[in-house]
Amino acid sequence: MTYQPDDRRYERQPYNRSGRSGLRLPAVSLGLWHNFGDDRPVANSRAILRRAFDLGVTHFDLANNYGVPYGSAERTFGRIFREDFARHRDELVISTKAGYDMWPGPYGEWGSRKYLLASLDQSLERMGLEYVDVFYSHRFDPDTPLEETMGALDRAVRSGKALYAGISNYTPEQTAQAARIMRELGTPLLIHQPSYSMINRWIEKGLLDTLEEAGMGCIVYSPLAQGLLTDRYLDGVPADSRAATSRFLSSDAIDAELARDLDEVARGRGQTLAQMALLWTLRDPRVTSVLIGASSVRQLEDNVACVDGPAFTEDELASIDKITSRRAA
């Protein structure tokens, strides 16, 4: 059946300007890291993407090595894009990244011009796109001159293969230097993608100030701390949970007491813990968008509904700070 998106999709959530650019992103964006590889049913991936767009999620975020195996998330997205979203291309913001390991040998990771531009070409081929809206340097490379890495991003934009350039996982100092280089090249950085959550607050220690000064937006990932800030672990570690089965999260990291205390605050607000955690990251206007992952349509709908929650009171924010202070980064 031909996909027909919901006519009311742009009424479902706010759209925030990314820094001092002309681009507005949905408050909630969809990341395709875990649930769009060859190890997941295409039908489920399609259902999630369709429902996301129906809910006003116009930004889909990928990277070259997302999915199992590497590259499979981009291939899955490319297939669904061709069949369902091609005629809506100008309504979508599609991003990808390069920086982590992708292929064997000395040219398959980090920040060299050779790697970044080759990776972008491969990503475009996998997705069947002429360009991406945002191309990121996924991590700072300590062994490559930053001028080379930023020069590759500038080249990607000037070649028409990307509309905007971004960085991810850079420190405030690295971000300031990268922003200066890109301004001099004439291709200002659009956005930074850092990790951020109630229990991982490192961006509050300088990065948000740096982004504001540079005129860059901020889109945060891992806002639920790999599931720690959901109702998944209120009573311990289920056998089928990510903490029990994934290398990205250890069961030793689970703090059920903290989750229960936060859940009590969330219930008082009429939200799930996940919804409260997501909306909390958006309380600072310098945060443009929050990236969610979703393994089901139901989970997607629950998370996107965070934008319907009430504004935080000073007492609620103080309670959250008190609860999380015992493990906040």
Side-chain angles (χ1 to χ4, degrees):
M1 181 180 296
T2 302
Y3 168 58
Q4 181 61 44
D6 192 320
D7 290 337
R8 299 179 59 196
R9 58 190 177 276
Y10 294 117
E11 302 172 16
R12 303 298 180 86
Q13 65 170 306
Y15 296 85
N16 302 319
R17 193 170 301 278
S18 182
R20 290 196 293 267
S21 78
L23 185 68
R24 295 165 65 194
L25 295 179
V28 179
S29 298
L30 181 63
L32 277 63
W33 179 18
H34 284 298
N35 301 305
F36 292 82
D38 290 350
D39 59 335
R40 305 300 173 99
V42 173
N44 188 58
S45 300
R46 185 190 306 277
I48 292 170
L49 287 169
R50 285 182 171 187
R51 186 59 179 148
F53 192 45
D54 285 344
L55 294 173
V57 177
T58 54
H59 178 208
F60 300 141
D61 180 74
L62 299 107
N64 55 0
N65 63 352
Y66 283 3
V68 179
Y70 288 171
S72 57
E74 289 182 329
R75 285 193 299 272
T76 296
F77 175 78
R79 172 181 171 180
I80 297 170
F81 172 83
R82 289 190 300 274
E83 296 172 358
D84 290 346
F85 294 102
R87 64 193 179 97
H88 301 286
R89 175 65 182 96
D90 293 336
E91 297 180 60
L92 298 176
V93 173
I94 302 168
S95 60
T96 195
K97 316 176 199 71
Y100 288 93
D101 62 299
M102 182 59 192
W103 61 82
Y107 318 120
E109 61 177 329
W110 291 107
S112 72
R113 181 183 182 93
K114 178 174 178 60
Y115 165 64
L116 292 174
L117 295 180
S119 180
L120 176 57
D121 285 341
Q122 293 175 22
S123 290
L124 292 174
E125 182 176 1
R126 281 189 291 270
M127 292 188 284
L129 299 176
E130 294 181 358
Y131 69 93
V132 291
D133 295 273
V134 187
F135 181 52
Y136 288 89
S137 167
H138 207 165
R139 62 172 169 172
F140 178 79
D141 183 348
D143 297 318
T144 295
L146 192 55
E147 289 81 1
E148 178 176 342
T149 301
M150 294 301 104
L153 295 184
D154 175 68
R155 175 59 182 168
V157 172
R158 292 183 184 278
S159 69
K161 296 178 181 180
L163 300 186
Y164 299 94
I167 56 176
S168 181
N169 301 309
Y170 279 51
T171 68
E173 295 75 19
Q174 294 160 354
T175 298
Q177 186 181 1
R180 176 186 58 77
I181 294 169
M182 291 297 278
R183 281 196 304 271
E184 293 173 353
L185 291 171
T187 304
L189 286 172
L190 172 79
I191 200 164
H192 189 297
Q193 186 175 135
S195 61
Y196 185 50
S197 73
M198 290 178 176
I199 57 175
N200 174 23
R201 302 191 180 190
W202 74 275
I203 71 172
E204 297 174 3
K205 301 172 183 176
L207 181 62
L208 286 173
D209 291 338
T210 298
L211 296 179
E212 183 176 27
E213 183 177 349
M216 295 170 60
C218 179
I219 179 168
V220 300
Y221 72 88
S222 290
L224 303 180
Q226 299 291 314
L228 295 179
L229 298 175
T230 71
D231 60 8
R232 186 68 162 144
Y233 301 104
L234 295 181
D235 299 310
V237 182
D240 62 344
S241 66
R242 182 174 295 175
T245 62
S246 172
R247 65 185 176 91
F248 295 106
L249 179 64
S250 168
S251 59
D252 294 336
I254 303 302
D255 188 336
E257 181 181 0
L258 177 142
R260 287 193 294 268
D261 289 345
L262 289 172
D263 185 63
E264 184 175 349
V265 178
R267 284 188 284 109
R269 291 170 44 79
Q271 290 187 301
T272 66
L273 174 52
Q275 288 169 343
M276 183 180 76
L278 293 169
L279 189 59
W280 181 90
T281 68
L282 293 165
R283 79 200 187 286
D284 190 317
R286 294 173 295 183
V287 176
T288 311
S289 183
V290 58
L291 272 169
I292 63 169
S295 59
S296 68
V297 169
R298 180 179 178 181
Q299 183 183 46
L300 171 82
E301 292 173 339
D302 180 76
N303 287 349
V304 173
C306 73
V307 298
D308 299 324
F312 287 95
T313 67
E314 291 300 321
D315 286 345
E316 288 170 340
L317 291 174
S319 294
I320 291 168
D321 288 347
K322 182 177 180 180
I323 294 167
T324 59
S325 63
R326 59 182 183 255
R327 67 169 292 166

